Amino acid sequence: MKLTATAVPPPTWKRLRASATLAFGFSVIEYVTALLLTSLSAEADALHLFGDGGQSALAAIFAYIAHDRTERWATWSAYLQATCLAAAGALILWRVGGSDVHPREALAMIGLGAIATSVALWRLKTAHGKWDFRHLAVSIWAAIQHQAALDKFAVVEAIHVFLDVVTSAFVLLTGVLMLVGLENNADRYFAYATAVVAFASSIVVVILARMGHHDHNHCGHDHGLPKLPPRT
């Protein structure tokens, strides 16, 4: 008997709208703070968050206007979201490549990183509040142990969510390394890593969209793609 990970319920357009608002608002605050602290990793996280906010905003818009939740609307939405994230990655690379600054205050970086990570987790709760993450993790681990089949949509979306949180942790880790005297060029490296995460997130969104083009009836359940979130 095949073991599958928990199906991921799509967020509603209202949840996506709230997630986008939170992302846009905090990204501005984080970017200004990053300029004051002269931190490239914090700038990169702010730019990635802004791009992720754009992704959530596009998803909310398409979810609202697509009454019939057709494949065409969902596919266009996914590709535009991926473009938004890729643009954020390109902007980060341009910004990091043209600057040679270093962060000033270790404790301020730790505080900013902690707040940014909290906001990322808050956005996760806002957009995906109905997820059973514990059961999803247990299902994935059990499937790996027993070489069983997984719900690919659930796994890929879980990766996407994880990538959204990890860039904020980069800022926190930069501050910790500064505090123990090991920062050196870590701030720059984490900024580059954030660009990589933005591109990876873009690829994940495309994978999710492409999954929707295949027939999954043999799995015995609906993966939810490329259908858009309901207008509730």
Side-chain angles (χ1 to χ4, degrees):
M1 179 177 175
K2 291 184 177 181
L3 176 68
T4 59
T6 307
V8 180
T12 65
W13 80 271
K14 289 184 179 180
R15 284 182 173 271
L16 291 168
R17 181 187 63 184
S19 176
T21 301
L22 182 59
F24 285 141
F26 184 73
S27 65
V28 173
I29 296 174
E30 185 177 20
Y31 190 80
V32 172
T33 306
L35 292 178
L36 295 175
L37 296 175
T38 62
S39 170
L40 293 175
S41 63
E43 280 191 51
D45 184 50
L47 292 173
H48 175 254
L49 182 59
F50 192 84
D52 212 40
Q55 178 208 356
S56 294
L58 285 169
I61 291 171
F62 275 82
Y64 183 79
I65 64 178
H67 298 279
D68 54 359
R69 300 173 67 191
T70 61
E71 179 175 331
R72 179 175 62 86
W73 281 111
T75 302
W76 273 104
S77 172
Y79 290 155
L80 285 174
Q81 291 172 51
T83 301
C84 193
L85 290 167
L91 185 58
I92 292 170
L93 289 179
W94 172 80
R95 180 71 184 95
V96 175
S99 180
D100 190 28
V101 299
H102 293 275
R104 300 175 180 177
E105 300 289 339
L107 292 179
M109 286 292 296
I110 292 175
L112 179 60
I115 294 172
T117 303
S118 298
V119 171
L121 292 172
W122 186 8
R123 286 190 63 240
L124 171 60
K125 179 65 175 178
T126 299
H128 298 288
K130 295 183 178 180
W131 273 29
D132 186 345
F133 290 101
R134 180 181 176 279
H135 186 66
L136 176 61
V138 170
S139 298
I140 292 174
W141 177 247
I144 293 173
Q145 285 185 314
H146 301 288
Q147 298 181 341
L150 285 171
D151 181 335
K152 293 180 180 178
F153 170 65
V155 175
V156 174
E157 178 64 9
I159 293 172
H160 181 210
V161 168
F162 171 77
L163 291 177
D164 288 344
V165 177
V166 73
T167 58
S168 299
F170 287 161
V171 182
L172 176 61
L173 186 55
T174 297
V176 172
L177 292 176
M178 289 176 63
L179 193 63
V180 298
L182 298 175
E183 187 274 329
N184 217 2
N185 287 317
D187 184 61
R188 175 177 295 275
Y189 296 149
F190 281 136
Y192 280 122
T194 300
V196 173
V197 169
F199 289 124
S201 297
S202 177
I203 293 172
V204 168
V205 172
V206 172
I207 291 174
L208 287 172
R210 296 299 301 172
M211 279 184 178
H213 292 296
H214 302 291
D215 181 12
H216 298 282
N217 291 335
H218 65 278
C219 297
H221 64 277
D222 181 11
H223 288 255
L225 271 178
K227 295 178 181 178
L228 287 166
R231 288 182 55 180
T232 58

